[in-house]
Amino acid sequence: MAIINSDIRPAPRRTGWKLGAGLFLAGAVAVAALPPLHLFPAFLVFAFLAWHFHRAERAWDSFLVVWSFAFGYFLAGLYWVGIAFFADAERFGALAVPGVVGLAVVLSTINASILALFARLARRSVLASVLVLASAWPLTDLFRGAFGTQFPWNPPAIALAFSDSLYQLIAWVGVPGASFLTLLVPMVAGLSLAQRHWGRLAGVVALTAILFTVGHQRLDHLALGEDPMLGLRLVQPDIAQHHKWDPELRRGWFMRHIELSNLPGRYDLLIWPESSVPYRLDDDETARRMVAGAIGGGRLAIVGADHIDFDSKPPILNNSVYVIDRNGIVRARYDKVNLVPFGEFLPFRSLLGRVGLDALAVGSIDFQPGAKRHTIEVEDVEPFSPLVCFEAVFPGRATDGSGRARWILNVTNDAWFGISSGPYQHLAMARMRSVESGLPLVRAANTGISVVTDAYGRVVGELGLGEMGVLDVALPPALVVPPPVARWPLLAWLLPLLGLLAAIIVPRKDA
């Protein structure tokens, strides 16, 4: 019995502007399945893409079909990037619209170029088209996160963030495997609805129920390590980006962090967000002592600040995380490895700098990447893996791989994106790192969303977007045995590989 039945295969056709517009709108509709809306049925429109990807007559038509859909998906899903340009509206505001459109064009071109390589395979049958899309879309996420693009944002698996149980799929099959299933199920369901194949639709619903049940059974049924007994205080100062670096205001913002830290309550570890200290902590003893004074009865403070080495020619600038003790001594430092293109550095500066372009965060001087991920181990604190801002969106790279880290720290400044869907998407991807590693996540954000999750990625404490305050919560324990995908990373690509193999062997016509 065929999985997808089509007694009469319609004649192939070329892509026209009306079809392109329809695909663009379908891609935009799919975004409703992502955080913060979580309208998962919106992913049914991927069936529309699969149908026309199958019918595309030539490789160029296949490219245009995918490109049109992906352009709508990325343009609607990443609209919030434009908000960052208005942090300095006088210099960058005019670039907001072309910046977002240009980003969507680049990401769509990557997706379409890769999927077009499988165009002949997709023309074999509608089922082959479904399998190709479900298998190769995660591959496009991999390419978008490498080779200079460095932007693997919104993998399809993020649509599962509404369910802690379904999110557990990531622990077994990683983000690529979970994305495969996240696309496969709605595509088969959408085509089943269109063809009124109720038996097949019932099978899809049953599969979803099984996946949910298996994930739900995983929760609270794995051995946890000993409770670290570490009390955390996360500070969320809620400082708007266009005010944050105002020279006349920055001392006041620094003092806001201190005042919030000194609110009544007991904790062991004080955590401030990314770029929370506007001073050079390596050289400024006064700033270090002020941070140390904010620790109160705690043990250590972890804060975000820029590291600048003026002894190097040219000077080296890093986006860093500092660990400071009660005596104002720097106990450890981590320099951000994965930098944001056009945000923290200007690609091809020698060329683009000539036309007056600068990086949003640093202007004419680029941040430099740190050497590598590493686990911070200091006395009185469980070893942890620091991730600065969007370093938390890279699958399988939450730690240095040594197995020493017992929790993940993500400090970020999502004030760049205002009150939008961006911070919600960012949080959902950070939670993926918790699920795939079996480690609790501690996330301190300037304007939110600050959270602490357990080792299953479930939120156990939260400060919402746009709130000011502190979050006091105990650090949850890690899993004793890391999840399968953490032990065998290639598991993440098993389902996409099997999907491509299945696409090769299915009959040329559904029967």
Side-chain angles (χ1 to χ4, degrees):
M1 178 180 292
I3 295 179
I4 297 177
N5 184 34
S6 178
D7 296 330
I8 300 176
R9 181 177 183 272
R13 71 182 193 184
R14 298 184 179 183
T15 306
W17 72 267
K18 291 183 178 179
L19 175 58
L23 287 162
F24 169 83
L25 290 175
V29 167
V31 171
L34 309 183
L37 296 180
H38 297 296
L39 301 176
F40 187 76
F43 260 27
L44 290 171
V45 297
F46 272 93
F48 182 69
L49 171 62
W51 178 254
H52 289 286
F53 188 47
H54 163 60
R55 295 182 65 190
E57 187 174 47
R58 304 168 300 173
W60 176 244
D61 295 310
S62 299
F63 174 92
L64 291 177
V65 164
V66 177
W67 192 93
S68 300
F69 184 94
F71 185 60
Y73 181 80
F74 289 121
L75 191 64
L78 299 173
Y79 76 92
W80 47 266
V81 172
I83 298 174
F85 290 85
F86 290 96
D88 189 346
E90 185 175 348
R91 295 173 62 198
F92 299 112
L95 298 176
V97 172
V100 175
V101 171
L103 176 62
V105 166
V106 170
L107 300 181
S108 304
T109 301
I110 293 173
N111 277 43
S113 298
I114 293 173
L115 282 160
L117 297 176
F118 302 93
R120 290 187 62 183
L121 189 57
R123 285 196 290 272
R124 291 173 59 91
S125 66
V126 182
L127 173 58
S129 178
V130 167
L131 290 168
V132 165
L133 283 168
S135 300
W137 194 287
L139 187 62
T140 69
D141 294 332
L142 177 67
F143 275 78
R144 287 190 292 108
F147 308 112
T149 311
Q150 292 287 302
F151 205 72
W153 204 276
N154 282 344
I158 196 176
L160 302 178
F162 72 95
S163 169
D164 291 331
S165 297
L166 288 175
Y167 234 30
Q168 301 310 301
L169 291 174
I170 296 171
W172 291 303
V173 297
V175 173
S179 291
F180 172 87
L181 292 170
T182 304
L183 292 177
L184 182 70
V185 167
M187 280 192 286
V188 174
L191 290 167
S192 299
L193 283 169
Q195 298 170 348
R196 299 184 179 182
H197 198 307
W198 310 122
R200 189 170 64 233
L201 182 62
V204 172
V205 173
L207 173 61
T208 305
I210 291 171
L211 294 174
F212 176 88
T213 301
V214 172
H216 185 72
Q217 284 297 111
R218 181 178 188 268
L219 297 172
D220 297 321
H221 284 80
L222 299 177
L224 298 174
E226 293 184 6
D227 190 335
M229 299 297 291
L230 192 68
L232 309 175
R233 168 162 287 185
L234 280 60
V235 172
Q236 184 169 299
D238 191 33
I239 303 169
Q241 189 60 37
H242 63 284
H243 289 315
K244 186 170 176 63
W245 296 110
D246 187 323
E248 298 181 0
L249 300 176
R250 63 181 182 178
R251 179 176 174 82
W253 301 142
F254 182 51
M255 294 305 298
R256 177 181 289 186
H257 287 82
I258 294 175
E259 291 166 1
L260 290 171
S261 302
N262 289 330
L263 290 174
R266 297 181 61 182
Y267 58 88
D268 301 298
L269 190 59
L270 176 66
I271 302 174
W272 291 0
E274 175 190 17
S275 303
S276 50
V277 179
Y279 306 109
R280 295 178 56 209
L281 287 173
D282 298 274
D283 301 323
D284 195 329
E285 182 178 356
T286 300
R288 291 200 306 272
R289 290 194 174 278
M290 292 177 73
V291 172
I295 297 174
R299 305 175 189 175
L300 297 168
I302 303 177
V303 301
D306 293 345
H307 166 256
I308 306 175
D309 182 1
F310 285 115
D311 293 332
S312 177
K313 302 297 181 183
I316 294 177
L317 175 63
N318 302 113
N319 189 350
S320 304
V321 173
Y322 286 82
V323 180
I324 297 176
D325 66 19
R326 297 174 62 180
N327 296 315
I329 298 173
V330 175
R331 300 278 294 277
R333 191 186 86 229
Y334 167 78
D335 300 327
K336 184 179 181 181
V337 175
N338 299 111
L339 302 177
V340 182
F342 296 96
E344 294 173 313
F345 73 97
L346 183 66
F348 314 110
R349 179 174 284 278
S350 60
L351 174 64
L352 297 180
R354 294 178 182 176
V355 297
L357 291 181
D358 278 331
L360 285 175
V362 288
S364 59
I365 302 176
D366 289 337
F367 280 107
Q368 298 299 315
K372 60 181 180 179
R373 296 268 197 279
H374 68 262
T375 300
I376 291 182
E377 300 182 73
V378 295
E379 188 180 356
D380 296 331
V381 174
E382 291 282 297
F384 67 95
S385 178
L387 300 173
V388 180
C389 192
F390 100 132
E391 287 187 312
V393 309
F394 291 87
R397 294 166 63 180
T399 70
D400 59 10
S402 67
R404 296 191 305 272
R406 307 312 299 156
W407 55 289
I408 300 168
L409 172 67
N410 178 212
V411 295
T412 187
N413 176 26
D414 287 354
W416 287 100
F417 312 122
I419 306 299
S420 70
S421 60
Y424 294 94
Q425 295 169 4
H426 195 185
L427 169 60
M429 288 180 283
R431 288 178 55 214
M432 290 178 175
R433 308 292 78 81
S434 176
V435 179
E436 70 188 10
S437 64
L439 303 176
L441 167 73
V442 178
R443 185 173 194 266
N446 170 24
T447 54
I449 308 163
S450 297
V451 304
V452 174
T453 77
D454 63 11
Y456 298 97
R458 294 178 299 188
V459 174
V460 298
E462 176 178 344
L463 274 173
L465 184 62
E467 294 182 22
M468 180 178 67
V470 298
L471 177 62
D472 293 340
V473 65
L475 177 67
L479 296 181
V480 171
V481 179
V485 76
R487 286 175 280 157
W488 304 293
L490 290 180
L491 279 179
W493 293 100
L494 179 60
L495 287 180
L497 176 60
L498 291 176
L500 285 177
L501 292 176
I504 293 172
I505 65 176
V506 296
R508 285 187 176 274
K509 289 186 178 181
D510 302 319

